[in-house]
Amino acid sequence: MGKKIKKEAEPPPKDVLPRNLQRLNTMGAAGNLYFDPLTIESKKVATVVLMLNSPEEEILAKACEAIYRFALKGEENKATLLELGAVEPLTKLLTHEDKIVRRNATMILGILASNNDVKKLLRELDVMSSVIAQLAPEEEVLIHEFATLCLANMSAEYTSKVQIYEHGGLEPLIRLLASPDPDVKKNSIECIYNLAQDFQCRAMLQELNAIPSILDLLKSEYPIIQLLALKTLGVITNDKEARAMLRDNQGVDHLIKVLETKELNDLHTEALSVMANCLEDMDTLVLIQQTGILKKLLSFAENSTIPDIQKNAAKAITKAAYDPEIRKLFHEQEVEKCLVALLGSENDGTKIAACQAISVMCENSGSKEFFNNQGIPQLIQLLKSDSEEVREAAALALANLTTCNTANVIAAAEADGIDPLINILSSNRDGAIANAATVLANMAMQEPLRVKMQNHDVMHALLGPLCSANTVVQSKAALMVATTACDVEARTELRNSGGLEPLVELLCSKNDEVRRHASWAVMVCANDELMAVELFRLGALDILEEINLSVSRKNKFSEAAYNKLLNNYLSLKYSLTGYLSSSNIINDGFYDYGRINPGTKLLPLKDLCLQEPSDLRAVLLVNSKSSDVSPPASMEDKSSDIGYGRSISSSSSLRRVSKEKTNTRSGSPTEDKLEPTSGRNTAVSKSTTKEKGSRKGRGKKEEEKVKEEEEVAAAPKLTGEGSPDKEWYPPSDLDFCVYVDEVTKSIFPITNIEEQIEALAKYVAEKMGGKVSKEKLHDFGWELHISELKFQLKSNVVPIGQIKKGIFYHRALLFKALADKIGIGCSLVRGEYGRAWNEVKLMNESRKGLIGALPPLEVYVVDLMFHPGRLMKLRSKEADLYRYL
């Protein structure tokens, strides 16, 4: 046999060789087996990612180095590494014993952490403690740089902030603010800025005394570091304690140096933001004021050519001025001049900020007066701006300036502010509409301005705001109606514009302020009968009644509006309540339909007149006016003199006679409160020792004459059916006109009130069929008489003067109507079963001579049936027999 020769090993095929140079260290069962160095190359990312699981430090280091370069190339590469599962083995390498491996892994994670999906995975893997461990002082700067970069990227999300906080990451971050490496500083302050958004982290920053280290960053030569430091201070100083720490560490001086350095003008905005927070601290503000820094700040803001700086300066003033003491100090420093100057800026943002600052500063009375001459004209000009935001801000400033300040109201009107304010009511911005409505409501408090506003068609412009879906706009629009609809012309314009319907709808609002202002507006609009009737037709009375039944929804205005509606629609009031007080003066056009239940609609007089006669109860009409289609008689013929709840009719000679009469009556001509059906605040009493004219001055007469003219102008005029070109008037009542003339001549001159009442009672009984005994009451035959009248008139509406046989409720109504004409105060009360009666108040003669006390008033029922002219004390046996069956 020949000698065996050792065969050389064949090299492996080329296609199975890796492409990178690697050392393979394998361990067999019998011991360590080492390969000789193997040079390989690889261009596959997946292959390199697999190498992250190698136990060899050199392989790990070089794999990390290759992955780092790959990740730097873009977001797609980062996503690829995530898909290949590189993140999890990299997190494990953060705790590797080899420093180079640990450094390279940290660098890769710092880069990858900018990817949102990577951040999410890192949170799930809970690597925060491993990353924070890389911030240890003994670690090299490069590790600090990428560890802080990783934390900065991750701290933008709330969960990561909590993890950093809980793992004690704030303390090493604050320490690294003093690092010699600018990248470490930048990453650390960025991370701290993100963490400072949470109040717990802000409190911890104060405990760790972070402010001095942050202030030192303002000296950095790198603008990004300075900017992040200012942003962080801007967040931290929202807390009072942090502002005190900033003051104690001369932070204001650092900020002023930044502001005074022109080269740092890109940092001025953030510096002003921090300064704005400082201004909220009274001690800091006093320091700034005493050192002259405040004046420098105002001058800096006023003279700056950078819009953002001016805007932020105005915002700083706004923020601080919410404190009354700071407002006072600002006023002493004449901050108003700076704000007025900023109104002239070409930048809309600056104008808006200045307007907002003015709106806050005018809470100070001195500032409000300052803006009277300087500021209001400029604000009026801003109302014409092309920017709706500017118009809204200007209107806000004017709204605050004109509230409870007549001088500013007049100044705004003199600056021609009415027209642009009315134009803003059609704006697309709810805030602008609400602010403009507030200013106009303030103006409407002044009568000359209110008239001027009406000339600008303001009531028509209110239709849009009244229909708005925004509750603030609804509230302000209703308030504006309440302040502007104070005369007949304005109310008529509102009705003709269709404004009553949306106003009534606002009564149903769930918002308390809207409901309150709408009730106020309805109360004002119901000041004349025509409007009261229209509001009733739209359902206002039913809504108000429902509101007043609710303890939580009712308000004083809703109750007053309900009473006002009834008191100016006496026909409805009497039908609903069965009661008219001495202050409820019956005017022409009043009709008694009879009792109706709540919620029942009372038909208008015209509709009742056009109905055919029926078996229903006759509708009693009071009307002393002619039904001719010609215009109403002159004011001299129709005027009335009203005082203390009485109406004195028609001629000037009557007024001369009135001066010779006595009167000690009680009651108010403006009595709006709705008395209950059983109420007893009825007629007005008189004495025989005082002249009636003693309580009437010339000014009172003129005021009453104006009121009478308004009543005549508001008299119902309805277009006749089939005659569209003619006005419809209620049927005339010539007999009642004669009654009024006769009682005016014969009864009005009587000076004793009791004798007056007795004479009028006998007169009414005489016209209504005379005295009727109780025994013969059922044989009186009044029903047939009324039926005949209805047949003759071809209507259920019967004028009261045409009734010659009347019982209790006919006579009581006639007595009340005539008493109101000649000024005898009395009430009208409806009873059951056709009963009605009048109540008057007379002085108790037995106590008339007592000194130091007003004589008490006694209530009496007037007998118009059994013993006409007899006065029966209320609740006496004879009075009860008269009132009840």
Side-chain angles (χ1 to χ4, degrees):
M1 294 180 64
K3 186 178 180 181
K4 292 185 178 179
I5 301 173
K6 187 176 181 180
K7 187 177 180 181
E8 292 183 3
E10 295 181 3
K14 292 184 178 181
D15 57 340
V16 298
L17 285 176
R19 298 178 184 174
N20 277 349
L21 177 64
Q22 299 290 337
R23 172 186 293 177
L24 299 179
N25 183 10
T26 60
M27 181 174 290
N32 293 333
L33 300 177
Y34 292 95
F35 273 21
D36 292 331
L38 184 63
T39 302
I40 58 174
E41 291 184 1
S42 176
K43 292 185 179 180
K44 295 286 187 180
V45 181
T47 304
V48 180
V49 169
L50 289 174
M51 294 178 183
L52 294 176
N53 296 309
S54 172
E56 294 190 54
E57 291 84 355
E58 188 176 348
I59 293 175
L60 292 173
K62 291 188 177 182
C64 288
E65 185 179 345
I67 291 174
Y68 172 75
R69 290 195 299 269
F70 179 76
L72 281 176
K73 293 180 180 179
E75 290 297 319
E76 291 185 5
N77 291 1
K78 296 176 185 176
T80 300
L81 290 170
L82 177 65
E83 292 175 3
L84 294 173
V87 176
E88 186 171 357
L90 283 170
T91 59
K92 295 177 181 178
L93 296 181
L94 290 175
T95 57
H96 198 279
E97 295 178 356
D98 187 80
K99 195 170 187 178
I100 297 175
V101 173
R102 194 167 63 250
R103 180 195 66 194
N104 291 352
T106 305
M107 292 170 63
I108 297 172
L109 289 175
I111 297 296
L112 291 179
S114 63
N115 182 280
N116 291 328
D117 294 327
V118 173
K119 280 191 280 191
K120 182 178 178 181
L121 180 57
L122 289 175
R123 287 195 299 271
E124 294 173 357
L125 295 173
D126 195 19
V127 299
M128 206 61 70
S129 58
S130 300
V131 177
I132 292 173
Q134 308 306 311
L135 306 181
E138 61 272 12
E139 296 290 351
E140 59 182 273
V141 173
L142 196 58
I143 291 180
H144 288 166
E145 177 186 343
F146 286 94
T148 54
L149 177 61
C150 181
L151 292 174
N153 285 327
M154 295 191 66
S155 61
E157 198 274 333
Y158 177 74
T159 306
S160 298
K161 291 179 188 177
V162 174
Q163 291 177 348
I164 295 172
Y165 174 79
E166 290 178 348
H167 287 90
L170 270 175
E171 186 174 1
L173 285 169
I174 293 171
R175 186 185 69 250
L176 289 177
L177 292 178
S179 171
D181 186 83
D183 289 322
V184 175
K185 289 182 178 179
K186 182 263 180 187
N187 295 336
S188 299
I189 189 62
E190 183 178 357
C191 186
I192 291 173
Y193 168 70
N194 291 336
L195 294 173
Q197 311 299 321
D198 182 71
F199 74 95
Q200 285 184 319
C201 293
R202 287 201 299 272
M204 180 60 69
L205 287 171
Q206 295 167 28
E207 291 181 17
L208 297 173
N209 197 27
I211 287 182
S213 300
I214 298 174
L215 286 173
D216 285 339
L217 296 182
L218 297 180
K219 304 173 185 176
S220 172
E221 58 182 298
Y222 297 97
I224 183 61
I225 295 177
Q226 294 173 310
L227 179 62
L228 287 169
L230 288 171
K231 282 179 172 289
T232 305
L233 289 172
V235 176
I236 294 175
T237 52
N238 283 314
D239 300 331
K240 185 177 180 180
E241 295 78 8
R243 290 196 291 268
M245 292 180 66
L246 185 75
R247 181 183 67 246
D248 296 340
N249 287 278
Q250 289 77 46
V252 174
D253 294 336
H254 286 80
L255 295 172
I256 289 298
K257 287 179 182 178
V258 173
L259 291 172
E260 290 179 341
T261 306
K262 293 183 179 181
E263 292 76 11
L264 300 178
N265 55 12
D266 54 337
L267 301 176
H268 289 175
T269 300
E270 295 299 333
L272 279 173
S273 178
V274 182
M275 192 65 77
N277 292 340
C278 294
L279 293 179
E280 293 184 61
D281 182 67
M282 193 61 193
D283 293 333
T284 305
L285 183 60
V286 170
L287 175 65
I288 292 173
Q289 186 261 339
Q290 290 175 347
T291 56
I293 294 175
L294 183 57
K295 281 193 174 294
K296 284 184 181 180
L297 282 173
L298 295 176
S299 175
F300 173 76
E302 186 176 343
N303 298 320
S304 176
T305 57
I306 301 174
D308 281 347
I309 291 176
Q310 293 183 319
K311 179 177 68 176
N312 281 278
K315 286 182 176 180
I317 294 171
T318 304
K319 196 173 181 181
Y322 282 107
D323 186 285
E325 293 298 321
I326 294 177
R327 276 200 304 271
K328 182 179 178 182
L329 194 149
F330 276 167
H331 175 61
E332 293 170 356
Q333 295 296 311
E334 297 181 329
V335 74
E336 299 91 348
K337 290 182 179 180
C338 174
L339 295 176
V340 172
L342 294 181
L343 289 177
S345 170
E346 296 181 0
N347 180 267
D348 286 346
T350 303
K351 294 175 185 176
I352 292 170
C355 290
Q356 292 169 343
I358 290 173
S359 67
V360 178
M361 278 300 301
C362 66
E363 293 294 325
N364 179 278
S365 57
S367 297
K368 207 171 225 181
E369 292 176 6
F370 176 91
F371 291 120
N372 180 266
N373 296 320
Q374 302 180 52
I376 288 181
Q378 291 90 329
L379 289 170
I380 296 297
Q381 290 302 313
L382 293 182
L383 293 177
K384 305 172 186 177
S385 170
D386 294 334
S387 168
E388 290 199 359
E389 291 86 351
V390 172
R391 293 201 296 270
E392 179 179 349
L396 173 63
L398 286 169
N400 289 349
L401 282 169
T402 55
T403 299
C404 301
N405 193 295
T406 305
N408 286 348
V409 166
I410 295 173
E414 289 177 348
D416 297 326
I418 293 177
D419 194 47
L421 284 167
I422 292 177
N423 290 336
I424 289 178
L425 294 179
S426 59
S427 170
N428 294 323
R429 296 180 68 88
D430 290 335
I433 298 172
N435 295 335
T438 302
V439 182
L440 290 169
N442 293 337
M443 288 182 171
M445 299 292 186
Q446 309 300 315
E447 185 175 357
L449 300 183
R450 186 166 64 245
V451 173
K452 198 172 181 181
M453 288 164 56
Q454 291 168 12
N455 294 334
H456 286 75
D457 200 19
V458 66
M459 305 309 289
H460 181 73
L462 271 174
L463 183 60
L466 285 172
C467 297
S468 171
N470 184 284
T471 55
V472 177
V473 174
Q474 292 173 350
S475 172
K476 299 303 181 183
L479 176 63
M480 194 172 161
V481 172
T483 55
T484 53
C486 297
D487 52 62
V488 175
E489 291 80 7
R491 292 193 288 269
T492 303
E493 184 183 348
L494 179 67
R495 185 184 71 246
N496 294 340
S497 300
L500 289 182
E501 290 88 343
L503 179 61
V504 172
E505 289 178 9
L506 293 184
L507 291 173
C508 302
S509 173
K510 295 181 180 180
N511 183 279
D512 291 342
E513 186 174 285
V514 173
R515 198 166 54 249
R516 183 168 57 251
H517 286 168
S519 300
W520 183 6
V522 168
M523 181 188 73
V524 173
C525 289
N527 261 319
D528 59 72
E529 185 173 357
L530 191 62
M531 291 289 287
V533 171
E534 181 66 13
L535 286 167
F536 171 74
R537 185 186 69 80
L538 295 171
L541 192 73
D542 296 336
I543 298 172
L544 288 167
E545 185 178 22
E546 181 185 350
I547 291 173
N548 292 334
L549 290 174
S550 170
V551 176
S552 61
R553 297 177 66 210
K554 73 176 181 179
N555 55 75
K556 291 182 179 179
F557 284 121
S558 66
E559 295 173 340
Y562 182 83
N563 293 334
K564 179 72 77 172
L565 268 174
L566 288 181
N567 288 329
N568 283 298
Y569 191 4
L570 295 183
S571 302
L572 175 64
K573 179 178 182 179
Y574 190 49
S575 292
L576 277 175
T577 67
Y579 183 80
L580 295 182
S581 71
S582 59
S583 65
N584 296 140
I585 307 301
I586 290 180
N587 292 314
D588 295 323
F590 174 89
Y591 59 100
D592 175 14
Y593 180 81
R595 189 189 306 274
I596 63 173
N597 295 321
T600 304
K601 293 292 183 182
L602 179 64
L603 292 176
L605 179 59
K606 179 185 177 182
D607 294 350
L608 293 172
C609 288
L610 296 176
Q611 289 179 349
E612 295 294 326
S614 66
D615 294 336
L616 296 175
R617 175 191 183 280
V619 179
L620 307 181
L621 171 65
V622 176
N623 184 31
S624 62
K625 289 183 179 179
S626 172
S627 62
D628 194 291
V629 294
S630 60
S634 67
M635 291 306 302
E636 292 181 359
D637 296 331
K638 296 296 179 182
S639 63
S640 63
D641 195 357
I642 301 171
Y644 289 92
R646 59 192 293 172
S647 175
I648 303 174
S649 74
S650 67
S651 66
S652 58
S653 62
L654 181 60
R655 291 194 179 95
R656 288 196 296 273
V657 175
S658 72
K659 295 180 181 179
E660 301 172 1
K661 300 192 68 179
T662 63
N663 175 31
T664 58
R665 300 181 305 144
S666 68
S668 169
T670 59
E671 179 182 352
D672 286 336
K673 185 175 181 180
L674 176 62
E675 298 85 349
T677 305
S678 60
R680 297 294 175 261
N681 292 332
T682 56
V684 182
S685 66
K686 297 183 180 178
S687 72
T688 59
T689 58
K690 291 188 178 181
E691 295 183 358
K692 290 183 180 179
S694 64
R695 71 182 187 281
K696 299 175 187 169
R698 183 176 179 183
K700 181 71 176 176
K701 290 182 180 179
E702 293 175 355
E703 179 183 348
E704 292 161 356
K705 185 174 180 180
V706 171
K707 183 176 180 181
E708 292 157 8
E709 291 173 353
E710 292 177 355
E711 291 173 351
V712 172
K717 297 180 181 180
L718 301 175
T719 305
E721 186 176 54
S723 180
D725 297 328
K726 295 182 179 180
E727 297 290 344
W728 181 89
Y729 293 94
S732 62
D733 189 351
L734 297 179
D735 290 330
F736 182 69
C737 294
V738 173
Y739 295 170
V740 173
D741 187 56
E742 288 179 354
V743 299
T744 299
K745 292 178 180 178
S746 61
I747 298 177
F748 180 73
I750 299 175
T751 57
N752 184 280
I753 181 63
E754 191 170 340
E755 293 175 4
Q756 259 191 327
I757 294 171
E758 182 180 353
L760 183 60
K762 290 179 179 179
Y763 180 88
V764 169
E766 178 188 348
K767 298 302 179 183
M768 285 281 184
K771 175 181 177 180
V772 182
S773 64
K774 294 182 182 179
E775 296 78 14
K776 296 183 179 181
L777 184 60
H778 63 281
D779 296 329
F780 189 47
W782 64 274
E783 297 98 333
L784 179 60
H785 173 61
I786 297 297
S787 298
E788 290 173 348
L789 285 175
K790 289 164 65 176
F791 179 77
Q792 292 171 7
L793 298 170
K794 293 182 175 55
S795 172
N796 273 346
V797 178
V798 178
I800 191 69
Q802 295 189 29
I803 299 176
K804 306 307 177 185
K805 281 189 175 183
I807 58 167
F808 296 91
Y809 73 92
H810 304 109
R811 298 186 184 202
L813 176 59
L814 180 59
F815 183 90
K816 169 69 172 169
L818 293 175
D820 287 345
K821 292 291 183 182
I822 63 173
I824 296 176
C826 76
S827 63
L828 175 62
V829 185
R830 189 196 305 279
E832 300 291 340
Y833 305 107
R835 296 290 174 108
W837 61 91
N838 302 102
E839 296 176 357
V840 295
K841 282 183 179 180
L842 296 176
M843 184 187 300
N844 188 335
E845 297 291 336
S846 64
R847 298 185 60 186
K848 182 178 176 182
L850 291 179
I851 300 175
L854 291 173
L857 298 175
E858 299 282 355
V859 181
Y860 294 87
V861 176
V862 182
D863 189 340
L864 301 173
M865 289 289 295
F866 308 136
H867 302 283
R870 179 178 57 162
L871 298 178
M872 304 166 285
K873 275 191 176 182
L874 186 67
R875 297 189 182 87
S876 65
K877 182 177 180 181
E878 55 186 2
D880 289 344
L881 288 174
Y882 183 84
R883 295 185 298 159
Y884 309 118
L885 286 177

